[in-house]
Amino acid sequence: MPGIAIVGVQWGDEGKGKATDLLASRTDYVVKFNGGNNAGHTVVIGDKKYALHLLPSGILTPGVTPVIGNGVVVDLEVLFDELTALQSRGVDTSKLRISSNAHIITNYHRILDKVTERFLGKRSIGTTGRGIGPAYADKVNRLGIRVQDLFDESILRQKIEGALETKNHMLTKVYNRRAITCDEIFDDLQQYVERLRPMVGDTSLELHNALEAGKNVVFEAGQAMMLDIDYGTYPFVTSSTTTSAGAAAGAGIAPSKIDRVVGIVKAYTTRVGSGPFPTELHDEWGDLLRSNGFEFGTTTGRPRRTGWNDTVITRYASRVNGLTDIVLTKLDVLTGIERIPVCVAYDVDGERFDEMPLSQSDYHHAKPIYEELPGWSEDITGAREFSDLPANAQAYVRFLEEHSGSRISAIGVGAARDAIIQIHDLI
Ligand code: GDP
Ligand code: IMO
Ligand code: MG
């Protein structure tokens, strides 16, 4: 079973980084296939805490080859800052591979991300401001700059000039900002070229060969199902395919090479940024989940919106991703809550929906239909077997499993690397 995709099921921050780290010791490659430094994955190893943005979480495990696939958008300043920070903490980053087809985030993408958000006012998406949307827009508009373009000065200049042509009209005439020169972008990118060169290769071929040779390859998604450009709460989404299908397109391997798809589900739900969120809590329960779960963004530090678990979303994600397994995270955060509501369906203007409503307008006023489960008060952070959990915690897990469309194979009971209950092997 060598190809394993790890995907987020809700609105991100489910604990994908920790799950990837868990598998990394039995993995040869960890591939990031979508998104960029909008992601924030926290991995806790002993008394050390790492926050990864652009680099795959597998970089923390010796022996793993981390890969940035063609589907990623790369901010070179962030890349080298993150590498330097890890090196200074003693992490070996020398194996990193980067696809020559990955697209580059430039300063004009970052600026456009911020000014368009400001321009949208009340309708803003609440992006991370990292230039992700504008970089993917250029890719689709065929105005993007790819990693391989950095190694040909004349092509690079032509591409920057082409990209700036319309952007400078927008910046100066619509957004009242100064124009950007080709030279400033060119000089900025040039400073990274020689350091970048040895890392760049045909990662599609390298991964194909690895899979053919029976190596284990983990494809680690950024973001999650409900932020997917096609399946998420559009337009309040990110600009890439966050689902398992994106692993093939964004890593350059055949879909048939993905043997297993692991969905990461938080025991409750969080969201950063704008957009609908049916189970969102605006009361003291929401505050409790935020403070007990330390729900503040790894990337922007924003407080995360919080709510109860929503099994309609998990069923949707199970189907679209083809989940074979679920890792349920942060069960420990629910300890001490007397009765725990779980959303099993929606009420949209008097009509019951067991699956996602067809229209986004309906989703904006979907009201959760809850079933309440009894909670537990015992500390579960030391549990390592399913049978170590209090009966009500076991029943809560079983209830989620019955309503989720896939089996729960592991349960997170704390942020530490070993704070996990393994029910079925993931590799
Ligand atoms: P990602 O973006 O999906 O990788 O998730 P983040 O790293 O942004 O957010 C998940 C947070 O929960 C991190 O701070 C993790 O250290 C933490 N975490 C992961 N699993 C567990 C768990 O089972 N229990 C607790 N209490 N924290 C966890
Ligand atoms: P990880 O990988 C949570 C959200 C932003 C915003 C929307 C679009 O850590 O789970 P973007 O900058 O991508 O154009 O913003 O998507 N968002 C995330 N929310 N976790 C993430 O990543 C996110 N990456 C983007 O808050 O609502
Ligand atoms: Mg995160």
Side-chain angles (χ1 to χ4, degrees):
M1 291 268 187
I4 300 154
I6 291 186
V7 294
V9 161
Q10 296 147 326
W11 278 282
D13 307 321
E14 297 89 352
K16 297 177 289 294
K18 182 183 160 181
T20 304
D21 178 63
L22 177 75
L23 298 190
S25 61
R26 277 166 291 158
T27 300
D28 302 290
Y29 291 79
V30 174
V31 190
K32 182 178 171 92
F33 62 81
N34 75 303
N37 58 309
N38 47 349
H41 306 303
T42 306
V43 180
V44 180
I45 303 175
D47 58 358
K48 290 191 174 144
K49 191 168 166 176
Y50 299 89
L52 298 159
H53 298 285
L54 180 54
L55 295 168
S57 305
I59 201 161
L60 300 173
T61 303
V64 167
T65 302
V67 178
I68 292 181
N70 56 277
V72 175
V73 285
V74 180
D75 184 322
L76 292 172
E77 184 181 349
V78 173
L79 175 74
F80 287 104
D81 281 354
E82 226 175 295
L83 284 172
T84 307
L86 287 181
Q87 285 154 6
S88 70
R89 295 177 74 179
V91 176
D92 174 15
T93 63
S94 63
K95 287 194 150 95
L96 179 66
R97 308 292 298 144
I98 301 177
S99 166
S100 60
N101 285 351
H103 281 248
I104 296 288
I105 298 178
T106 68
N107 197 30
Y108 49 78
H109 297 124
R110 288 188 291 260
I111 292 172
L112 279 169
D113 194 355
K114 290 185 183 125
V115 292
T116 47
E117 277 284 275
R118 224 170 288 150
F119 211 69
L120 281 170
K122 275 205 313 241
R123 290 179 299 122
S124 73
I125 290 157
T127 72
T128 59
R130 303 299 195 259
I132 306 292
Y136 277 117
D138 271 4
K139 173 177 177 174
V140 175
N141 273 330
R142 293 157 292 186
L143 285 171
I145 294 171
R146 293 191 290 176
V147 164
Q148 58 183 280
D149 300 327
L150 299 172
F151 306 119
D152 183 329
E153 290 192 10
S154 143
I155 288 284
L156 181 60
R157 274 194 190 280
Q158 280 176 40
K159 294 215 168 174
I160 297 170
E161 268 160 19
L164 282 175
E165 215 168 321
T166 46
K167 287 189 185 60
N168 274 335
H169 286 295
M170 293 277 283
L171 284 170
T172 55
K173 292 175 189 156
V174 179
Y175 298 118
N176 207 18
R177 302 280 298 229
R178 75 168 179 85
I180 294 169
T181 65
C182 176
D183 276 347
E184 63 187 277
I185 300 296
F186 182 86
D187 292 345
D188 182 40
L189 298 180
Q190 275 299 305
Q191 60 181 311
Y192 304 109
V193 168
E194 287 319 312
R195 272 188 288 166
L196 191 64
R197 199 186 291 275
M199 302 171 190
V200 176
D202 183 347
T203 52
S204 161
L205 181 63
E206 289 169 26
L207 291 169
H208 173 82
N209 289 341
L211 285 160
E212 287 290 297
K215 306 257 191 224
N216 289 331
V217 180
V218 168
F219 302 92
E220 180 191 25
Q223 296 77 52
M225 179 75 203
M226 300 303 279
L227 290 170
D228 182 274
I229 186 74
D230 285 281
Y231 302 105
T233 46
Y234 191 89
F236 302 101
V237 293
T238 191
S239 301
S240 66
T241 298
T242 61
T243 39
S244 58
I253 53 103
S256 54
K257 292 279 189 249
I258 300 171
D259 305 285
R260 225 149 152 183
V261 184
V262 181
I264 315 302
V265 180
K266 210 179 270 193
Y268 48 100
T269 312
T270 62
R271 174 166 203 171
V272 197
S274 320
F277 177 179
T279 63
E280 182 170 15
L281 295 163
H282 297 284
D283 55 15
E284 65 273 24
W285 293 112
D287 295 338
L288 183 101
L289 291 175
R290 189 174 307 104
S291 59
N292 287 3
F294 299 106
E295 296 297 353
F296 297 90
T298 313
T299 298
T300 57
R302 290 177 287 180
R304 293 174 182 152
R305 299 159 64 191
T306 49
W308 302 119
N309 189 282
D310 183 338
T311 60
V312 183
I313 290 176
T314 317
R315 282 198 295 280
Y316 178 47
S318 284
R319 170 165 60 88
V320 174
N321 286 285
L323 297 187
T324 56
D325 303 84
I326 285 174
V327 175
L328 182 70
T329 62
K330 303 191 101 164
L331 187 65
D332 52 299
V333 174
L334 297 180
T335 298
I337 301 175
E338 222 166 291
R339 299 198 65 78
I340 312 170
V342 175
C343 172
V344 292
Y346 302 129
D347 177 318
V348 182
D349 305 325
E351 191 185 341
R352 182 182 166 113
F353 281 75
D354 290 294
E355 300 293 334
M356 292 293 285
L358 192 62
S359 111
Q360 186 68 20
S361 311
D362 283 348
Y363 199 60
H364 275 264
H365 40 119
K367 299 220 165 25
I369 297 173
Y370 285 122
E371 284 194 29
E372 269 194 9
L373 280 85
W376 60 94
S377 54
E378 300 89 332
D379 179 6
I380 62 168
T381 53
R384 294 295 175 268
E385 300 286 335
F386 189 66
S387 56
D388 293 341
L389 291 174
N392 285 351
Q394 291 189 18
Y396 183 80
V397 173
R398 289 286 173 234
F399 185 88
L400 291 188
E401 186 169 53
E402 276 160 31
H403 289 77
S404 292
S406 352
R407 66 177 187 183
I408 292 178
S409 296
I411 304 164
V413 290
R417 206 176 211 181
D418 65 341
I420 194 129
I421 296 168
Q422 295 249 22
I423 302 170
H424 304 287
D425 278 344
L426 293 167
I427 295 190

